[in-house]
Amino acid sequence: MTEPRHRRPRRRKERPPMLVRAVRSAVWATSAVVLIASGATWAAYRTITDGLTTSDALDTARKHAPRHLDSSVNLLLIGLDSRKDMDGNDLPKEFVQDQLHAGSSEIGYYNTNTLILMHIPADGGKVTAFSVPRDDYVETLYGDGTSQGHHKIKEAYSFGYTKAHDKLSADGVKGPELEHRSREAGREATLTTVQRFLGVPVDHFAEVNLLGFYDIAKVLQPIEVCLKHPVRDRYSGADFPAGPQKLNPKQALAFVRQRHGLDGGDLDRTRRQQAFIASVTHRLKSQGVFDDLGKLRELFDVVKKDLVLDSSWDVLDFARRAPDLTGGHVEFRTLPITRFATRGGESVNLVDPEQIRRTVASLTTGGGSPSPGASPSGSADAKGAAGEKGTAGEKTKKPAPSGVPSSTAPSPTADDGSDATVKAGGVPCVD
């Protein structure tokens, strides 16, 4: 007879120590919070960006971009001198003439009157913003990297737009689609040209038209600026005494557009644009817009019809970082020119592309040499002179569509002064 087997007593399942239970609870709670926050953030992002025009132009421009040396971010601000809406319709005549003080809807065509590259370093240090004078005479490029010839850098957009517009129109594309696709070609041309000229890649961009400047000023008015001298200009409508000013939207646009009557002409206007951006960001910070989703949504609701952002730009992430860009840590610089000249009957700024790339490299990488991949295209002075002999330059310029006048505005007549800086963090005083 075999001995009966003794059943092994079942061991009571021990409860985990209190510390372990607490950690588990914390993990579960944190996970829940993260999921809820992620959903709320996505919902907030959708409400802010819904209806915003985005662009994939960087997908093309990146194919021809110099390589990044670190994880810094380069943001290009594009101010488009256009009196048309996103679908290509003329802005109301009364509004353009009375409020914008900008003349006919045909003036300006699709030139970029503002090009500012903001370099945000990887370590979160001082941001350097480079203004590119609009009349710099450089080799402009189409989005695919092919040359347009030598022109004012502001015309890269209009040449890209016109070429695409003509081809698409011939293919039967019409209406808003024709306008949208033509503008994409203009953006690709501008981005590719700026990257080659400065020797650095563009990671994100924002484009705003004249109406956008006006609408931003309308939301944030009064816009605070400061002038070193009194000014009066019938072309832009600027009429201000010296000292601190509080401007309404119409006056703010006159302030950023004035170039007649200023010693530095377009170069002084460039510093006006820098001062406007410094004042606007200062006001956004002081009103807590960057920290308040409701206020941020209200701002975007007003300007989204005038604004284009690249499709890869995370607006909320930038808004969280924006306060660091408005606390006096931004320094605006105007890139140097060599001298003033005339090319193809138009006043231009001659520049040394290699000097420009060295300047940008020294202030963005601590180097002093152009970024790899930025092959010099030679001096615009030398190539421009060759162009007047029929080998390049203005003689190869493709005309704008019928009825669109070419730019004949005079350039500055005083000393360069492009090494002057404007610092953000308040209301800088400018000429």
Side-chain angles (χ1 to χ4, degrees), residues 35-182:
L35 288 173
I36 294 172
S38 298
T41 300
W42 174 245
Y45 181 83
R46 287 296 302 271
T47 58
I48 288 175
T49 59
D50 186 40
L52 181 67
T53 300
T54 58
S55 166
D56 295 324
L58 271 174
D59 292 345
T60 297
R62 286 192 180 105
K63 298 175 183 177
H64 311 283
R67 68 181 178 87
H68 252 304
L69 299 182
D70 54 27
S71 58
S72 59
V73 174
N74 295 320
L75 165 64
L76 183 65
L77 305 179
I78 302 173
L80 189 64
D81 187 19
S82 172
R83 281 76 162 166
K84 297 179 182 293
D85 65 18
M86 293 291 188
D87 293 334
N89 302 311
D90 291 345
L91 297 177
K93 181 178 179 181
E94 297 77 13
F95 177 79
V96 172
Q97 293 181 346
D98 298 339
Q99 295 299 311
L100 300 187
H101 210 276
S104 165
S105 62
E106 296 295 345
I107 297 175
Y109 190 44
Y110 289 93
N111 292 330
T112 53
N113 273 353
T114 304
L115 290 171
I116 300 177
L117 184 87
M118 299 188 72
H119 175 76
I120 305 171
D123 60 4
K126 183 182 70 176
V127 175
T128 304
F130 301 94
S131 286
V132 183
R134 65 175 190 162
D135 288 343
D136 282 5
Y137 190 63
V138 304
E139 182 182 19
T140 57
L141 307 172
Y142 292 109
D144 62 3
T146 58
S147 179
Q148 298 176 348
H150 275 75
H151 309 288
K152 296 178 182 182
I153 195 167
K154 69 178 183 180
E155 295 176 310
Y157 195 114
S158 61
F159 280 109
Y161 173 95
T162 301
K163 181 179 180 180
H165 189 280
D166 290 350
K167 182 180 185 305
L168 291 168
S169 182
D171 291 342
V173 181
K174 300 178 181 179
E177 182 185 357
L178 175 61
E179 180 71 9
H180 300 166
R181 292 173 64 179
S182 299

Side-chain angles (χ1 to χ4, degrees), residues 64-67 69 117 130 132 136-141 150 153 191-201 335-338 351-380 383:
H64 311 283
R67 68 181 178 87
L69 299 182
L117 184 87
F130 301 94
V132 183
D136 282 5
Y137 190 63
V138 304
E139 182 182 19
T140 57
L141 307 172
H150 275 75
I153 195 167
L191 293 165
T192 303
T193 297
V194 169
Q195 287 181 152
R196 170 74 67 84
F197 181 49
L198 302 187
V200 295
L335 291 173
I337 68 173
T338 302
V351 296
D352 181 342
E354 293 185 24
Q355 178 194 7
I356 295 294
R357 285 188 277 270
R358 284 195 300 269
T359 298
V360 173
S362 67
L363 293 170
T364 58
T365 65
S369 58
S371 300
S375 58
S377 58
S379 167
K383 290 196 175 183

Side-chain angles (χ1 to χ4, degrees), residues 232-301:
R232 188 170 187 177
D233 172 35
R234 67 182 180 88
Y235 294 99
S236 66
D239 186 1
F240 311 119
Q245 320 279 321
K246 290 188 176 182
L247 309 182
N248 63 33
K250 182 177 179 179
Q251 292 171 321
L253 193 62
F255 171 80
V256 297
R257 292 186 66 246
Q258 183 187 2
R259 61 187 174 87
H260 296 282
L262 301 177
D263 289 341
D266 263 350
L267 297 180
D268 279 342
R269 175 157 74 168
T270 295
R271 283 184 279 278
R272 297 280 192 91
Q273 296 166 353
Q274 295 168 350
F276 176 85
I277 293 173
S279 178
V280 165
T281 52
H282 175 69
R283 189 162 181 81
L284 288 170
K285 182 182 180 182
S286 64
Q287 292 185 348
V289 174
F290 294 124
D291 302 318
D292 189 319
L293 285 177
K295 292 181 179 179
L296 196 62
R297 187 183 304 113
E298 289 175 7
L299 176 64
F300 269 81
D301 284 344

